Each structure stands twice: as structure tokens, then as C-alpha cells.
Amino acid sequence: MPTVKPKSLTIRSYQVGFGDCFLLTFHYSGKTGDRHVLIDFGSTGTKASMGKNLMLRVAQDIQEQCNGKLHAVIATHRHKDHISGFATNKKGTGSGDIIASCKPDVVLQPWTEHPKAKVNATAAPTTMTANKAFVAALGDMHAISAAVLAEADTRRSKGRISAALHRELTFLGEDNLSNLSAVENLMSMGKKNFYLNFGSKSGLERVLPGVKTRVLGPPTLKQTSTIKIQRSKDEDEFWQFQAMANQFVLKRQARVFRRAKTYTALVAPPFTRWFIKRMRSVRGEQLLGIVRALDKVMNNTSLILLFEVNGKKLLFPGDAQIENWSYALSKPAIKRLLSTVNVYKVGHHGSRNATPKTLWGGFKHRSKKKTDKTRLKSFMSTMTGKHGNARSKTEVPRQTLVAALQSESELFTTQSIKGKGNISLACDIKL
Ligand SMILES: [Zn+2]
């Protein structure tokens, strides 16, 4: 019997403002039919021009496009701009309730999200060995974010920090809050949950016949510790704070998700009180350094997935930054594999730190010729003016990267979706 393979794929990029939401529909002939995979659904900010109830309208459109049945949901990492759309409400009318009603067969998340991961996990439970506090630290970050947000508001009201700094702190702080109902929904909506790390089976084997899905990140701490090692001075300082927080957490030995509940109450748990006291004595810019470091660590828990069908390769790296990428890129065979990528979901909304130059420079299908049929296609979900600034070369999306994407690939960006009625951009790809 010939192997069943999809003939084509539709990638729908949804307008979620600042965030990611992609619906991949693999078209099979015969009784296999269409297979729908939702990758991320979240936002940290929209514009009035996008209309009201955007997330609800996006959820309804996803439900319509997939005919009420999702085959897989992938949440690349726990940030609000990737999972807030999965939030539910008591009435059962939230955007996340609509997605849950599409009964995904499988839900894929990074290993750091495993509900049974102990606070000292270095990998998902099946392979857990050493004694590190990374998973716990991810939980602590929500509490620290809540505290930073409160502190930023106090400082702004007293005129101690600028409006611009307050905006930046609020953005990063909110992105790192815990999004509890979304997290719980992801844990319960699928028939099966998979918590992945570099090299593990994807869990999509039955759902997407004929598609090979490689998991290229995140590595476990056993594989590498670079995802938690930070580089700049500010960030080193953050890790000292965090190490102290961990001492408290380890004593408590509480489970990650039980603790997560206390964070949503916006009451700092006892083990972070020392931190808040200390934080009050630091300057606004230092607060920014802390939340930036925190944001980066969470981004580095992003799943990096590479789909391969009939030799065509599609790369979806979430918001993975260099520390997560470096493990995969350190392997020559993976680097070779990535050099022939045909479709690239631009990492981290086009920020400067998520498309490593080794990766971009290695893409052989980059081409300036618009008529080139094998030209790389890139997909970017972003919103200008939300994050960073051009003066410090931190604006998102980063202009130099956008220029390269425009000149050397066919770029599909959510910023080209205009008007209140339009919420998605569809692109058909022959496989
Ligand atoms: Zn993001």
C-alpha cells in the first residue's frame, strides 16, 4: 500500500496583534481528508483598528476552518502572546472554550510544562535525573513578574520612571504572568498530551501520516544548560536573584501547577517577599533588566519543530532565542538539514535575537529573484511599536531583519492584514 502523504498545505496566519496564531491545514486525498494543526494562539496587545473581540472572532474562524475538529494543538511556550487565546471563562464562552470544543487529538508542549515535572526537574519525568530547579524557576517568574508590575505602577504614579519605561515594563511583565486558565485548558483539552524536548518523538506520527516532525528544541538541562545560562551583566544579576528564590522553592517542594494558582491572586508568595523588598531599592532600568532576562528564559523553553513532507521542510521555532537554538545548531547534521528549509516561521515576531545568523545565512533557498519557484517563504506575526525601540536597535520587528526577509524571501506578515473584518492571511503551498 502506498504511503499516505499530504499533497498540499494551507498556512493561515491570524491577526492577533502582538502574538502568534497559525492554523496549518494539511490536505490529503481520499478518506484521510484535511488535517488541522493549530500552532499557538495568544496576544499581548491589539489595536482599535483590528475591531472588538478579536480573540473570540479568531477562535470562531479557526472552528469554522477546521470544521469543528482540530487534530493537534501546539503551544510553543507559556508566554501570554502564545497562549492567552486558550483562556476559558466560567460561562464556557471564552476563546479557549471554542478551541477546546474542537477536541484536539494531541496537545504538544515543551518538557518544562509537564504537570508532573518536579520542581527540581531537568527533563520531563521519564528521563529526569539531576537536581536542578529550572521548572520551579519558570513558575517563580510569574510571581516575580506580578511583583515587578506592581512596583512599576507605584514608581510611575510617583513620577519616578518615564512613561516609556513603564510601558516596556508593563509589556514584558504582563507577558510573563501565569495565564492559569489557558495553562489548565491546554492540559485537559486533548486526548493525549506530549511534553517534548530535542530529539523526542513529536506525538504527531498518527495525526499527520506521511509527515516527519523533528523536535529540535528545547533541549533538556541534561542535554545542555545553555537555556538557563545568561550572557549579559544584568542577566547574571537576575540569576542570582533567581538562585535565592529557588532555595525557598526547594524547601517547599510544592508542585509547579498548585503553586501557579497562588500567583494569579497577585499576592506575592512568601518566598518572593525578600525579592520585592530588594526590588524597591533598584532603579527602573534595573527592573527592566530583570524582566528582560526573565522573558528571555521563558522564550528559550520554546518548542522548535521541523516538519518534512516529500523533501519540503517547514520550520516553526516559536520564540526560541540563541541559547535554545545553539544546541541544535551545534550539530552538523541538523545544520545541514536546516539549510534546505522551504518555509520559515520567523522567530520571536522578528526580534533581533531569534533568527541566529548561522541559521539565516545557512538557508539555501534564500533568493532575491521573485520568480524563483523554490524561493524561501517566511511567515511573520508581529505588530510594530509594541516592543523595544530603534534607537537601541531593539525594535520588534527589527528593521534590518525585515529588510533581509523582504529581499531574500517571500514574506507573509500579519501587518499586511488591514481592516476590522479581515483576520487572517492564507497561503497555499504545494508539497
Ligand atoms: Zn512571542
Side-chain angles (χ1 to χ4, degrees):
M1 210 177 91
T3 325
V4 181
K5 280 183 182 175
K7 303 253 182 303
S8 63
L9 163 73
T10 304
I11 299 181
R12 228 172 229 99
S13 312
Y14 279 97
Q15 176 61 277
V16 285
F18 196 94
D20 263 10
C21 181
F22 297 93
L23 181 67
L24 275 56
T25 302
F26 293 85
H27 305 288
Y28 291 80
S29 53
K31 64 176 183 191
T32 311
D34 286 348
R35 296 285 165 108
H36 304 278
V37 178
L38 177 63
I39 305 182
D40 290 337
F41 180 21
S43 175
T44 44
T46 57
K47 285 180 181 162
S49 61
M50 293 167 191
K52 284 185 182 163
N53 299 321
L54 183 62
M55 299 308 264
L56 213 51
R57 285 188 290 133
V58 168
Q60 282 159 353
D61 195 77
I62 291 169
Q63 187 182 35
E64 206 171 297
Q65 297 295 343
C66 74
N67 229 337
K69 171 68 190 169
L70 280 169
H71 296 87
V73 165
I74 299 169
T76 60
H77 63 298
R78 208 195 301 172
H79 269 153
K80 188 179 175 190
D81 62 325
H82 294 255
I83 65 164
S84 69
F86 297 112
T88 55
N89 63 26
K90 281 190 182 139
K91 287 184 185 163
T93 55
S95 53
D97 293 300
I98 296 175
I99 301 300
S101 78
C102 298
K103 296 195 168 29
D105 294 325
V106 294
V107 174
L108 274 48
Q109 290 174 270
W111 69 267
T112 47
E113 297 302 310
H114 200 298
K116 287 187 181 142
K118 291 193 176 150
V119 292
N120 57 359
T122 57
T126 46
T127 54
M128 193 164 63
T129 50
N131 182 22
K132 300 273 174 70
F134 189 56
V135 172
L138 295 178
D140 299 343
M141 287 176 189
H142 298 317
I144 292 171
S145 285
V148 167
L149 276 174
E151 184 65 14
D153 285 346
T154 311
R155 276 165 190 269
R156 181 66 197 136
S157 68
K158 290 181 181 166
R160 289 195 198 144
I161 56 171
S162 70
L165 182 56
H166 180 254
R167 226 177 8 252
E168 181 83 10
L169 279 170
T170 309
F171 170 69
L172 287 172
E174 281 180 354
D175 204 13
N176 284 284
L177 288 179
S178 70
N179 302 295
L180 185 66
S181 85
V183 169
E184 286 180 342
N185 194 18
L186 284 164
M187 281 167 69
S188 60
M189 69 164 78
K191 279 188 206 147
K192 222 167 166 191
N193 288 66
F194 290 88
Y195 300 95
L196 312 175
N197 58 267
F198 177 95
S200 62
K201 269 190 155 185
S202 71
L204 291 173
E205 294 78 11
R206 280 162 183 252
V207 173
L208 295 178
V211 179
K212 184 166 178 57
T213 310
R214 287 188 174 86
V215 185
L216 302 184
T220 61
L221 291 183
K222 208 178 159 198
Q223 288 170 325
T224 176
S225 61
T226 51
I227 56 169
K228 63 171 236 170
I229 290 170
Q230 299 299 315
R231 293 173 178 189
S232 79
K233 204 171 136 230
D234 277 350
E235 290 152 359
D236 282 345
E237 190 173 9
F238 166 71
W239 281 107
Q240 282 169 22
F241 288 153
Q242 196 225 320
M244 288 169 73
N246 286 344
Q247 288 173 15
F248 290 92
V249 178
L250 286 169
K251 276 182 202 154
R252 288 166 65 95
Q253 289 291 316
R255 278 179 54 182
V256 178
F257 286 88
R258 189 159 358 112
R259 287 203 337 274
K261 285 192 175 159
T262 56
Y263 302 141
T264 51
L266 294 186
V267 176
F271 58 85
T272 59
R273 282 181 197 150
W274 64 270
F275 174 81
I276 294 160
K277 210 169 157 191
R278 169 120 188 232
M279 199 168 60
R280 293 210 169 106
S281 68
V282 303
R283 285 177 294 118
E285 287 75 16
Q286 285 173 312
L287 280 183
L288 189 59
I290 292 164
V291 283
R292 274 208 184 117
L294 192 150
D295 194 63
K296 191 170 172 178
V297 174
M298 197 67 90
N299 283 338
N300 277 329
T301 67
S302 274
L303 282 178
I304 304 176
L305 298 179
L306 180 70
F307 302 98
E308 192 175 350
V309 196
N310 285 332
K312 280 240 165 98
K313 297 194 186 82
L314 307 99
L315 179 62
F316 283 80
D319 280 359
Q321 295 182 212
I322 187 69
E323 292 81 3
N324 182 340
W325 262 121
S326 59
Y327 187 66
L329 291 174
S330 70
K331 301 182 181 304
I334 303 283
K335 247 173 116 173
R336 260 198 311 280
L337 201 66
L338 289 168
S339 69
T340 50
V341 156
N342 305 88
V343 168
Y344 172 52
K345 195 297 284 192
V346 181
H348 199 200
H349 321 284
S351 82
R352 63 173 179 170
N353 49 22
T355 301
K357 287 204 168 138
T358 345
L359 179 74
W360 177 251
F363 286 156
K364 286 183 185 156
H365 291 300
R366 281 180 301 121
S367 168
K368 289 186 177 162
K369 276 193 212 150
K370 288 185 180 164
T371 51
D372 186 344
K373 284 192 178 142
T374 61
R375 194 180 189 210
L376 176 73
K377 285 182 167 63
S378 47
F379 292 80
M380 182 166 67
S381 184
T382 194
M383 189 169 87
T384 306
K386 180 77 184 158
H387 190 29
N389 63 68
R391 209 171 6 98
S392 58
K393 299 181 177 170
T394 56
E395 83 278 15
V396 178
R398 176 88 182 104
Q399 267 323 302
T400 45
L401 175 61
V402 174
L405 289 163
Q406 276 167 340
S407 113
E408 297 172 55
S409 75
E410 190 181 351
L411 176 63
F412 298 83
T413 165
T414 55
Q415 298 213 96
S416 68
I417 306 171
K418 305 274 185 220
K420 291 182 185 177
N422 298 325
I423 51 169
S424 76
L425 180 71
C427 170
D428 293 318
I429 293 163
K430 213 176 162 305
L431 296 173

